[in-house]
Amino acid sequence: MSPAKPERRGLLIILSSPSGAGKSTLAKRLMVWDDSLQFSVSATTRAPRPGEIDGKDYLFVDENGFRKWVADGEMLEHAHVFGNFYGSPKPPVEQAIESGRDVLFDIDWQGAQQIRNSALGAYTLSIFILPPSIAELHRRLVNRGQDNAETIARRMQKSWDEISHWDGYDYVLINDDLDVTEDKLKTIIRAERLKFAQQPRLSDHVRALQSEFEDLP
């Protein structure tokens, strides 16, 4: 007997933004809102930061191992950022969407583009988060206290390149109020889950309805 179809297909939900615009905070809020969401744990060649756990925050791997995964077709997307490689392993993502679970990605525009152009591109929902202003973006980077002045300057310089790709996404939100932006994200996800393409059981239901018409006296 073939396995039953899931209620719906899983979505690849992509959140992108320049550093400091709020995508990581919003991603965490979405995970609290819906605990069925599966976060895509990225692989990286950078060293772990204090408190980061291998396999939970990132999959930490050396450059040779990362390159082998890419060569073997095991990475859904990958990029070189600030001297390190980052990427999304493909097997856990495929397993999740086939079982009807959504996968959440916190990645940049390069990764988003690679996923949209992949074999799983039909199941992507891409959302770009804009800051309300560049001054506010800089303030958030400084206040979060994660980077030194040189790194903040590099992130600010890179932010324009990130923002220039805003029009390649399905949805674009200005994050001037975190709670309001969170509510908008939830509305988008609810609507996308109801699309015909995401509901594999609908065609079976329609065929059943047609059969009932045929059986009418």
Side-chain angles (χ1 to χ4, degrees), residues 54-194:
D54 186 27
K56 179 182 178 182
D57 299 293
Y58 283 94
L59 297 171
F60 296 102
V61 62
D62 62 25
E63 187 169 326
N64 287 336
F66 192 100
R67 290 182 181 275
K68 185 177 188 307
W69 284 350
V70 173
D72 292 344
E74 295 295 306
M75 301 299 287
L76 188 59
E77 57 83 23
H78 66 281
H80 191 254
V81 182
F82 296 134
N84 294 293
F85 287 99
Y86 293 83
S88 303
K90 181 164 54 174
V93 174
E94 292 177 324
Q95 293 167 10
I97 64 169
E98 286 172 6
S99 64
R101 296 191 65 185
D102 298 330
V103 183
L104 185 61
F105 293 82
D106 176 352
I107 56 177
D108 68 7
W109 69 269
Q110 294 173 333
Q113 189 175 61
Q114 290 178 53
I115 291 177
R116 287 197 302 270
N117 293 335
S118 75
L120 302 180
Y123 310 117
T124 61
L125 162 60
S126 61
I127 305 162
F128 195 87
I129 309 297
L130 286 169
S133 69
I134 298 305
E136 174 63 14
L137 185 68
H138 184 266
R139 187 192 68 80
R140 291 176 185 177
L141 286 174
V142 171
N143 287 353
R144 73 184 187 180
Q146 292 183 359
D147 302 309
N148 58 32
E150 182 182 351
T151 301
I152 289 174
R154 282 194 299 163
R155 292 191 185 282
M156 288 300 299
Q157 187 175 23
K158 183 177 171 56
S159 67
W160 172 244
D161 181 51
E162 292 281 351
I163 291 171
S164 70
H165 295 277
W166 68 275
D167 58 351
Y169 286 73
D170 298 318
Y171 297 88
V172 180
L173 301 176
I174 300 172
N175 184 25
D176 50 5
D177 183 298
L178 201 58
D179 292 336
V180 172
T181 305
E182 179 186 356
D183 286 341
K184 289 178 180 179
L185 280 174
K186 292 174 182 177
T187 298
I188 290 168
I189 292 170
R190 289 190 187 102
E192 291 288 327
R193 285 172 171 174
L194 293 174

Side-chain angles (χ1 to χ4, degrees), residues 21-80:
K23 71 178 183 300
S24 296
T25 299
L26 289 164
K28 290 175 183 176
R29 288 192 176 202
L30 288 176
M31 297 290 290
V32 172
W33 165 64
D34 185 348
D35 60 10
S36 72
L37 280 171
Q38 178 174 316
F39 190 76
S40 177
V41 179
S42 296
T44 182
T45 58
R46 75 160 172 77
R49 292 172 180 158
E52 288 184 330
I53 300 172
D54 186 27
K56 179 182 178 182
D57 299 293
Y58 283 94
L59 297 171
F60 296 102
V61 62
D62 62 25
E63 187 169 326
N64 287 336
F66 192 100
R67 290 182 181 275
K68 185 177 188 307
W69 284 350
V70 173
D72 292 344
E74 295 295 306
M75 301 299 287
L76 188 59
E77 57 83 23
H78 66 281
H80 191 254

